[in-house]
Amino acid sequence: MSPLVRLTGASASLGAQEVLSGVDLRIDRGEIVTIVGPNGSGKSTLMRVIIGAVPLRQGRLEHAPGLRIGYVPQKLHIDPTLPMTVRRFLSLPRRVSDAAAAEALTHAGGAGLAGRQMSDLSGGQFQRVLLARALLNRPDLLILDEATQGLDQPGSAAFYRLIEQLRTELGCGVLMVSHELHVVMAASDRVICLNHHVCCEGAPEHVASAPEYRALFGTGTQGALALYRHQHDHHHDEGCSHGDHDHAHDHDHDADAPKTHSHEAR
Amino acid sequence: MLDDFLVRAALAGLGVALAAGPLGCLVVWRRMAYFGDATAHAAMLGVALALAFDVSIFAGVLVVSMLMATLVSTLSGRGFAMDTLLGVLAHSAIAFGLVAVSFLSGVRIDLMAYLFGDILAVSKGDLAIIWGGAALVLALLAWRWQALLTATLNPDLAQASGLDPRREQLVLTVALALVVAVAIKVVGSLLIAALMIIPAATARPLARTPEGMALTAAGIGAVSALGGLQGSLWFDTPTGPSMVCIAALLFLVTLLLDGLRRDLAQRRAGRTSG
Ligand SMILES: Nc1ncnc2c1ncn2[C@@H]1O[C@H](COP(=O)(O)OP(=O)(O)OP(=O)(O)O)[C@@H](O)[C@H]1O
Ligand SMILES: [Mg+2]
């Protein structure tokens, strides 16, 4: 099966700073991939590289032909001089029927918001509307940059159930950024730990045990992870056991192999 | 009917206002008011070049405005400190324009006409150009509207939907240069930006959707153009500035009414809750 998106050896700079270097990434239809990493590690930049908003300094970006992307940016500022109802926002850039708009809103937990001004929404409501917009037009790939920020606890849980359901219904791929590590571990097929380069990647239980991951996220996360690991089979011994950056290149050697982590899982 | 200079003036004012209103909304939403200014002021340089090379004023202004708009939009993509840079560009353009015009010995031209417009002297040919240009601008905006709006909202959202924000920026640049070129005869280089910004700002509190705001701005522009023309006849004032004055008064009135409306709504909410 050809991938939805493939990045090969991608490097990108913002201003004078090299934000991403030598990133390889492949997303297939029907898989949920989560990017984790500390603040400023280039996660949002990677999302923007994938939608084509940040040019690559090196490397290659390939999209499946006719790829439709539903994108939820981390931040969206709407200028106060621009009047915009939720309903109107959902019709950008492609007009959608009232029925489709209402359905997407309901899906995203924002039913009844259609007539409101975007500027009057609460943070969580705004986030739900962004998500609803991303669901329209049957996307092949959902790109969600911290899409659950500001959602209440039930909202966030419902969100991850929705993602799971969409993946099954639409067969779309999902690429998301999240800081909610324990949820990520349960909700993803594959986790990529990013710190300007790919530190380690693979099935959640595999990444959770990688020393690079622990080095980045410290011991504070171990409780949740230990709990997680106890409930799952794990294979620590592959891939990410090197202590330095070399392992990133290790993945390069078997260009097709790293992705098998997720295939194995099924 | 077109033989009456007043009818021609009214139609010229309407044509410019109808195109400037919706374009002005985009300019305001994108925080490009300065950009409109620089482009409009560059028109003066266009006038000088047109006279020097003996081509039509319209063509001269169009070319120079287009160059200025492209220059500005390229630089703004590079993260320059834009307000300073635009101050430099806008004012040098107009200064160089005025100096260049003074070099053209032999031609006695009325500078005031280009700085503040000379709508009462609009010919049938001018009228054709104004309406042709305005129609072109409106057609361009209507064609690209959805994409322009998305790119205005957030370039990354546009990019993710397969649109190219830079292309939409170019569309806007072309539309802006066209409006400047057709408006110079009507309101002059100094006040073109006012005819874009003020109706848009006036329309803001009256609108709930972008389209609503664009249409309202066009309407307010039209009322200002006709009102300004009428006022200039009554009080024997310059026409272009009179139009801008009417627009400014309308802005003030909607601002006050909107403030009043909010105040009332707040009080009513206070009464029901308390
Ligand atoms: N527009 C920009 N211009 C210059 N540098 C930028 C720009 N946007 C981001 N950066 C820099 O690029 C680096 C990566 O930023 P990015 O937004 O991708 O991080 P992130 O991993 O998404 O962080 P967070 O978890 O805080 O969202 C940061 O060091 C940031 O300062
Ligand atoms: Mg980010």
Side-chain angles (χ1 to χ4, degrees):
Chain A
M1 189 172 59
S2 70
L4 291 172
V5 166
R6 192 207 299 265
L7 263 184
T8 329
S11 301
S13 306
L14 290 173
Q17 188 192 2
E18 170 152 277
V19 179
L20 295 174
S21 66
V23 174
D24 293 318
L25 177 73
R26 168 189 168 136
I27 302 157
D28 284 314
R29 206 167 276 283
E31 72 172 334
I32 299 179
V33 179
T34 304
I35 312 277
V36 298
N39 292 138
S41 57
K43 303 181 297 295
S44 297
T45 308
L46 179 60
M47 303 297 113
R48 298 181 65 223
V49 160
I50 290 174
I51 62 173
V54 174
L56 287 180
R57 209 170 41 68
Q58 252 170 38
R60 222 147 58 102
L61 167 68
E62 293 160 273
H63 280 182
L67 179 74
R68 279 193 305 268
I69 296 178
Y71 175 55
V72 175
Q74 182 174 2
K75 275 193 312 235
L76 181 65
H77 168 77
I78 297 187
D79 196 276
T81 60
L82 175 59
M84 180 73 69
T85 60
V86 169
R87 176 65 188 85
R88 184 66 188 88
F89 177 72
L90 294 179
S91 269
L92 286 175
R94 275 174 267 291
R95 304 218 176 249
V96 296
S97 68
D98 282 344
E103 192 195 331
L105 273 177
T106 309
H107 247 335
L113 293 177
R116 301 276 293 275
Q117 284 288 314
M118 293 293 285
S119 53
D120 295 345
L121 299 179
S122 77
Q125 288 172 331
F126 193 91
Q127 212 57 37
R128 287 162 194 269
V129 171
L130 282 186
L131 181 65
R133 181 185 169 279
L135 300 182
L136 288 161
N137 298 309
R138 308 198 114 247
D140 305 302
L141 176 62
L142 277 173
I143 297 187
L144 312 170
D145 197 345
E146 301 192 31
T148 56
Q149 55 180 309
L151 291 197
D152 48 31
Q153 196 68 49
S156 172
F159 169 84
Y160 286 105
R161 279 200 303 278
L162 173 66
I163 296 300
E164 182 77 47
Q165 180 193 342
L166 286 170
R167 176 259 292 272
T168 325
E169 275 175 20
L170 300 179
C172 59
V174 180
L175 176 64
M176 54 185 181
V177 173
S178 177
H179 288 295
E180 299 167 297
L181 295 177
H182 52 292
V183 190
V184 162
M185 292 299 163
S188 317
D189 298 323
R190 197 145 60 88
V191 175
I192 296 174
C193 180
L194 189 77
N195 194 12
H196 303 292
H197 62 277
V198 175
C199 289
C200 53
E201 69 167 303
E205 65 269 28
H206 164 71
V207 169
S209 64
E212 295 84 2
Y213 178 87
R214 297 211 198 155
L216 280 177
F217 292 103
T219 51
T221 57
Q222 281 191 340
L225 297 178
L227 191 70
Y228 178 86
R229 278 201 302 277
H230 282 179
Q231 298 163 347
H232 296 264
D233 280 339
H234 43 106
H235 8 233
H236 299 227
D237 39 333
E238 51 180 70
C240 275
S241 45
H242 306 267
D244 57 10
H245 290 179
D246 283 353
H247 71 280
H249 303 286
D250 264 335
H251 285 303
D252 289 349
H253 292 316
D254 42 358
D256 285 319
K259 287 82 190 176
T260 58
H261 294 314
S262 64
H263 294 294
E264 275 170 15
R266 269 178 245 147
Chain B
M1 189 180 80
L2 288 181
D3 290 335
D4 186 342
F5 76 98
L6 275 182
V7 172
R8 290 198 301 270
L11 287 175
L14 272 182
V16 169
L18 291 181
L23 182 63
C25 289
L26 281 163
V27 168
V28 166
W29 296 333
R30 297 171 78 107
R31 311 237 137 189
M32 300 192 336
Y34 57 80
F35 183 90
D37 249 356
T39 309
H41 289 183
M44 204 56 223
L45 195 57
V47 169
L49 293 177
L51 292 172
F53 293 102
D54 201 21
V55 296
S56 84
I57 299 282
F58 174 77
V61 170
L62 185 63
V63 168
V64 175
S65 302
M66 196 87 83
L67 286 178
M68 177 61 104
T70 313
L71 177 68
V72 170
S73 80
T74 313
L75 291 179
S76 73
R78 303 260 163 92
F80 279 85
M82 284 315 286
D83 52 347
T84 309
L85 192 63
L86 280 160
V88 172
L89 285 175
H91 297 110
S92 346
I94 207 159
F96 274 104
L98 292 173
V99 168
V101 167
S102 78
F103 273 122
L104 302 169
S105 56
V107 242
R108 291 286 306 154
I109 55 159
D110 182 9
L111 272 184
M112 289 293 276
Y114 295 108
L115 286 174
F116 298 107
D118 191 10
I119 195 175
L120 298 180
V122 164
S123 68
K124 282 184 194 171
D126 292 335
L127 205 54
I129 287 180
I130 289 172
W131 274 89
L136 200 58
V137 167
L138 287 176
L140 200 60
L141 293 187
W143 173 47
R144 300 305 308 165
W145 187 250
Q146 285 282 86
L148 277 168
L149 257 185
T150 312
T152 297
L153 198 69
N154 183 289
D156 284 356
L157 279 191
Q159 189 87 45
S161 303
L163 301 167
D164 183 354
R166 277 164 311 182
R167 182 171 119 157
E168 306 313 324
Q169 173 85 30
L170 184 67
V171 167
L172 213 61
T173 305
V174 170
L176 197 61
L178 266 170
V179 164
V180 168
V182 300
I184 187 156
K185 187 90 189 183
V186 175
V187 283
S189 177
L190 286 182
L191 292 175
I192 293 171
L195 218 52
M196 290 193 278
I197 308 302
I198 302 179
T202 310
R204 172 62 187 100
L206 306 175
R208 284 183 50 78
T209 59
E211 292 74 24
M213 182 162 153
L215 291 178
T216 311
I220 288 168
V223 170
S224 311
L226 296 182
L229 183 60
Q230 185 61 257
S232 75
L233 292 179
W234 281 340
F235 303 109
D236 193 20
T237 49
T239 314
S242 303
M243 291 177 172
V244 175
C245 287
I246 301 279
L249 287 176
L250 288 175
F251 173 74
L252 201 65
V253 169
T254 45
L255 203 64
L256 291 176
L257 285 182
D258 187 54
L260 210 63
R261 189 178 57 81
R262 277 167 197 260
D263 208 43
L264 281 179
Q266 216 150 47
R267 250 180 253 177
R268 205 170 307 137
R271 206 174 309 138
T272 48
S273 71

